[in-house]
C-alpha cells in the first residue's frame, strides 16, 4: 500500500502529541491521588457517609454526563480552544479542591473538575485524530496516549503518597499544576486548531438529553449497587433510558446531529466499543476487590497497596506502544484475542489466591492481566477513533470514555454485587455462636464492617470474626475473578467472529466522512 505523504504527521505533530500527553498525565494524577487522600480529607473536613459518597462519585457523574456535549462543542468552536479552556478550568478546580474548607466546597470543586475533564478527554483524542491521519501513525499515537494515562497513575500514587506524608491532604491535588502551566504555555504554539467547517450552532436540546441519559443511568446503577433494589434508583434509570431514546430519535432527524449514529453500523467502531464496556465492567469490579483484599486481608497500608499495583501499571505502560506496533503486522482480531487470553490467565491466577496466602499471587495476576489488556486498549481505541471522520472526531471520541464510565458502574452493580452476596452467604454460616448477633449481622454485610465490628471485641472473639470474614472475602474475590474470566472469553469470541476479516493497521483504506456503512460491510 502506498502511503500518501500528505497524510503523514509532521515533526510538529509529534511535539503536539507530547503536549497532549501532559494533559493526560494531569487527569491521571487527580484520579489516583484521590484514592490516597480520601481518608485524610474525609477526617479533616468532617465529611459524613453521604458526603463521602458524593466526593468520590461527583467527578465521574459530571465527566460522563458532559462528554458528548463537550465533544460536539469542540467540533464547533475548535478542539485546541476547548482543550486549553478545559485545562485552565481543571487547574482552577484543582486549586479549589486543595484548599476546600468544607465537604460542600470540595464536592462543588470536583463537580467542576468533572466538567473540565469532559472538555479535555474528547479534545485530546479528537486532536490526535486530526493530527495523525495515517492509520499506522494514529495507532502509535493512541498507544502513547494510553501509556501516559498509566504512567500518570503510577506517578499519582507515588508522588501523591510523598506529598501526603509531608504536607496537608490538599497538597496531593497540586501534583499536576506544573504540567498545567506548561500545557497552557506550549499548547498554543504547537497544537493545531481544528474544527468542523460545516458545524452548526450548538444543539442544546440534544445536549440536555445526553446529559440526562448518562447522569441518571450512572447514578441509578451505582445506587442499586450500594443499597439494593430501591424506587429512586430505578426511576432514575427509567428517566435515563427514556432520555436516551428521545436523544437517538432526535439525532436521526437532524441534518447535522450531535452524534453521527451511522458510526454504530461500522463494526470497527461498535465491536471495540462493546469490548471496552465489557472489559471495564468485568475487571473493574475485580480490581476493586483486589485493592480491598490488599489492605484488609493482607494487612497492607494504602501506600503499600498502591505499590503492589505499580508493577502491573508499569508493564501496561510499556506494552501498550508495543501492541500498537504489533497491530501493523497482526490482524486486530488475532492480536486482541491473544491479549484477552492473557487476561484470562491473569484472572485465573487471581482465583488461585484462595489456596495461596499472601499478596504475591494477586500482584502477579494483576500484572499478567494488565499486560494482556494492552492490545484492546491501544488497538481498540485506535479502531474507534480511526472509524470517525476527522471533522466529527470530537463527539465520536467521547464514546470510549462514556463506555468506561458506564462499564465501571455496571460492573460494580453486577459483578461486584455478586461478590458481596457470596461473601454474605459465606460469613452468615461460618461465625461461631459466641459472636454476638449484632456483630455477626454487621460482619456479614461487608469485610470492612467485619473489621470495624471486630475492633470492639476481645482479641479471641475478634479472631473468630476476622478469620471466617477474610476467608469468605478471598472466596468471593475468586468467584468474581472466575466470572470475569468467562466474560473475557466472550470478548475473544466477539472479536474473532465479527472482525476476523479486518486486516492489520495501515493495510486498508481509512474510513471517510460519508462511508460509514460501506466500511462496515468491508469490515464484516
Amino acid at each position: 500500500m502506498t502511503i500518501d505523504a500528505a497524510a503523514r504527521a509532521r515533526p510538529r505533530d509529534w511535539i503536539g502529541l507530547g503536549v497532549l500527553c501532559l494533559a493526560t498525565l494531569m487527569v491521571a494524577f487527580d484520579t489516583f491521588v484521590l484514592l490516597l487522600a480520601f481518608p485524610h480529607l474525609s477526617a479533616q473536613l468532617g465529611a459524613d457517609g453521604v458526603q463521602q459518597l458524593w466526593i468520590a462519585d461527583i467527578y465521574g457523574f459530571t465527566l460522563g454526563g458532559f462528554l458528548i456535549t463537550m465533544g460536539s462543542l469542540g467540533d464547533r468552536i475548535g478542539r485546541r480552544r476547548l482543550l486549553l479552556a478545559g485545562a485552565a478550568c481543571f487547574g482552577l478546580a484543582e486549586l479549589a479542591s486543595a484548599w476546600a474548607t468544607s465537604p460542600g466546597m470540595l464536592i462543588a470543586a470536583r463537580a467542576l473538575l468533572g466538567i473540565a475533564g469532559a472538555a479535555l478527554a474528547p479534545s485530546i483524542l479528537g486532536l490526535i485524530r486530526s493530527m495523525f491521519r495515517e492509520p499506522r501513525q494514529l495507532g502509535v499515537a493512541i498507544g502513547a496516549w494510553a501509556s501516559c494515562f498509566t504512567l500518570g497513575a503510577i506517578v499519582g500514587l507515588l508522588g501523591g503518597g510523598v506529598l501526603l506524608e509531608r504536607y496537608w491532604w490538599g497538597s496531593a491535588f497540586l501534583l499536576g499544576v506544573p504540567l498545567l502551566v506548561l500545557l497552557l504555555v506550549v499548547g498554543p504554539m504547537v497544537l493545531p486548531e481544528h474544527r468542523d467547517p460545516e458545524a452548526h450552532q450548538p444543539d442544546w436540546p440534544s445536549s440536555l438529553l445526553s446529559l440526562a441519559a448518562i447522569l441518571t443511568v450512572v447514578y441509578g446503577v451505582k445506587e442499586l449497587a450500594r443499597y439494593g433494589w430501591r424506587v429512586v434508583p430505578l426511576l432514575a434509570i427509567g428517566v435515563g433510558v427514556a432520555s436516551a431514546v428521545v436523544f437517538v430519535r432526535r439525532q436521526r432527524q437532524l441534518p447535522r446531529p450531535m452524534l453521527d449514529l451511522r458510526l454504530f453500523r461500522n463494526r470497527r467502531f461498535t465491536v471495540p466499543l462493546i469490548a471496552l464496556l465489557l472489559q471495564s465492567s468485568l475487571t473493574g469490579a475485580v480490581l476493586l476487590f483486589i485493592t480491598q483484599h490488599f489492605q484488609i486481608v493482607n494487612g497492607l497500608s494504602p501506600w503499600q497497596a498502591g505499590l503492589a499495583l505499580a508493577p502491573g501499571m508499569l508493564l501496561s505502560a510499556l506494552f501498550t506502544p508495543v501492541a500498537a506496533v504489533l497491530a501493523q503486522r497482526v490482524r486486530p482480531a488475532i492480536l486482541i484475542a491473544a491479549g484477552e487470553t492473557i487476561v484470562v490467565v491473569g484472572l485465573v491466577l487471581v482465583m488461585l489466591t484462595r489456596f495461596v496466602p499472601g499478596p504475591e499471587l494477586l500482584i502477579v495476576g494483576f500484572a499478567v492481566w494488565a499486560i494482556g489488556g494492552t492490545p484492546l486498549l491501544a488497538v481498540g481505541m485506535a479502531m474507534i477513533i480511526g472509524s470517525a471522520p476527522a471533522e466529527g472526531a470530537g463527539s465520536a471520541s467521547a464514546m470510549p470514555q462514556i463506555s468506561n464510565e458506564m462499564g465501571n458502574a455496571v460492573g460494580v452493580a453486577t459483578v461486584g454485587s455478586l461478590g458481596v452476596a457470596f461473601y454474605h452467604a459465606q460469613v452468615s454460616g461460618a461465625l461461631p455462636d459466641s459472636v454476638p448477633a449484632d456483630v455477626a449481622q454487621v460482619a456479614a454485610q461487608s469485610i470492612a464492617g467485619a473489621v470495624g465490628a471486630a475492633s470492639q471485641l476481645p482479641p479471641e472473639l475478634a479472631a473468630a470474626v476476622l478469620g471466617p470474614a477474610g476467608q469468605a472475602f478471598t472466596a468471593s474475590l475468586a468467584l468474581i475473578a472466575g466470572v470475569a474470566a468467562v466474560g473475557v472469553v466472550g470478548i475473544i469470541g466477539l472479536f474473532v467472529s465479527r472482525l476476523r476479516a479486518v486486516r492489520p493497521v495501515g493495510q486498508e483504506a481509512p474510513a471517510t466522512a460519508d462511508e460509514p456503512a460501506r466500511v462496515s460491510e468491508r469490515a464484516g
Side-chain angles (χ1 to χ4, degrees):
M1 174 181 176
T2 302
I3 300 176
D4 185 0
R8 296 187 66 85
R10 303 164 297 171
R12 178 175 175 176
D13 294 324
W14 292 104
I15 298 174
L17 176 64
V19 173
L20 294 177
C21 287
L22 293 178
T24 304
L25 289 170
M26 181 176 66
V27 174
F29 287 169
D30 177 83
T31 302
F32 287 89
V33 297
L34 179 66
L35 298 177
L36 295 178
F38 196 78
H40 305 274
L41 65 88
S42 297
Q44 294 190 26
L45 293 179
D48 59 30
V50 174
Q51 290 169 329
Q52 289 180 36
L53 292 177
W54 278 108
I55 291 170
D57 286 344
I58 191 63
Y59 175 81
F61 286 160
T62 53
L63 174 70
F66 280 90
L67 276 169
I68 294 180
T69 297
M70 290 298 183
S72 178
L73 182 63
D75 291 338
R76 286 170 167 80
I77 69 171
R79 293 168 196 156
R80 184 183 68 184
R81 178 182 299 178
L82 183 63
L83 172 73
L84 297 176
C89 291
F90 197 93
L92 292 175
E94 289 280 44
L95 293 175
S97 298
W99 277 283
T101 57
S102 67
M105 182 177 175
L106 182 58
I107 292 169
R110 293 200 61 77
L112 176 60
L113 201 69
I115 298 173
L120 292 175
S123 297
I124 292 170
L125 291 174
L127 281 169
I128 290 176
R129 176 68 179 91
S130 303
M131 294 157 57
F132 301 93
R133 295 174 179 259
E134 196 276 310
R136 295 186 180 187
Q137 292 185 329
L138 175 62
V140 173
I142 292 292
W145 164 81
S147 292
C148 283
F149 191 87
T150 309
L151 288 173
I154 298 172
V155 176
L157 289 171
L158 301 181
V162 171
L163 290 174
L164 287 171
E165 287 185 354
R166 298 188 177 184
Y167 306 104
W168 89 110
W169 63 264
S171 64
F173 292 108
L174 304 179
L175 189 62
V177 172
L179 299 183
L180 167 67
V181 174
L182 188 59
L183 169 64
L184 293 177
V185 172
V186 181
M189 296 186 288
V190 299
L191 292 174
E193 184 58 282
H194 196 283
R195 62 174 61 89
D196 185 352
E198 299 180 5
H200 296 174
Q201 292 298 317
D203 180 21
W204 297 117
S206 291
S207 298
L208 293 174
L209 286 169
S210 68
L211 183 65
I214 297 170
L215 280 180
T216 53
V217 169
V218 172
Y219 167 78
V221 170
K222 286 192 173 185
E223 291 298 293
L224 287 178
R226 288 195 183 109
Y227 305 115
W229 297 99
R230 294 189 176 184
V231 175
V232 173
L234 291 174
L235 287 176
I237 293 174
V239 171
V241 172
S243 300
V245 171
V246 177
F247 174 81
V248 169
R249 290 181 176 177
R250 181 173 178 81
Q251 301 314 294
R252 288 175 175 171
Q253 296 170 356
L254 293 174
R256 294 286 297 176
M258 174 181 287
L259 180 64
D260 188 355
L261 299 180
R262 295 178 302 167
L263 285 169
F264 291 92
R265 303 176 195 166
N266 184 355
R267 294 180 186 178
R268 293 170 60 92
F269 180 86
T270 305
V271 171
L273 195 63
I274 294 174
L276 288 170
L277 174 68
L278 293 174
Q279 184 97 325
S280 60
S281 299
L282 296 167
T283 60
V286 178
L287 182 59
L288 178 63
F289 271 60
I290 286 176
T291 56
Q292 294 182 75
H293 197 282
F294 278 148
Q295 297 180 63
I296 298 176
V297 178
N298 298 129
L300 303 183
S301 67
W303 169 249
Q304 291 171 327
L307 286 178
L309 296 175
M313 293 180 177
L314 180 59
L315 289 171
S316 176
L318 293 175
F319 276 87
T320 299
V322 174
V325 174
L326 288 175
Q328 301 176 14
R329 298 181 178 275
V330 182
R331 290 178 182 265
I334 296 175
L335 181 60
I336 293 175
E340 294 301 291
T341 301
I342 297 174
V343 173
V344 172
V345 173
L347 291 169
V348 170
L349 291 176
V350 172
M351 293 175 61
L352 294 177
T353 57
R354 185 172 185 178
F355 310 104
V356 181
E360 293 80 11
L361 197 56
L362 279 181
I363 295 172
V364 174
F366 173 69
V368 171
W369 113 41
I371 294 172
T374 56
L376 177 58
L377 178 61
V379 183
M381 285 290 294
M383 293 175 72
I384 293 171
I385 304 305
S387 297
E391 291 74 18
S395 55
S397 299
M399 295 309 299
Q401 309 286 332
I402 294 173
S403 179
N404 183 64
E405 289 295 324
M406 294 294 293
N408 285 329
V410 171
V412 172
T414 54
V415 180
S417 295
L418 175 64
V420 171
F422 186 77
Y423 168 85
H424 175 74
Q426 293 285 104
V427 173
S428 297
L431 296 179
D433 295 336
S434 57
V435 176
D438 56 336
V439 172
Q441 183 178 8
V442 172
Q445 296 303 313
S446 68
I447 184 67
V451 173
S455 65
Q456 308 299 321
L457 299 175
E460 298 82 4
L461 206 55
V465 172
L466 293 177
Q471 294 173 4
F473 190 77
T474 302
S476 65
L477 171 59
L479 172 68
I480 64 171
V483 171
V486 173
V488 171
V489 172
I491 296 177
I492 296 173
L494 178 67
F495 271 93
V496 172
S497 64
R498 307 299 292 176
L499 293 180
R500 62 184 179 275
V502 176
R503 297 179 62 81
V505 175
Q507 296 187 21
E508 65 178 14
T512 59
D514 56 354
E515 287 189 310
R518 283 179 284 174
V519 171
S520 172
E521 294 171 1
R522 290 197 299 270

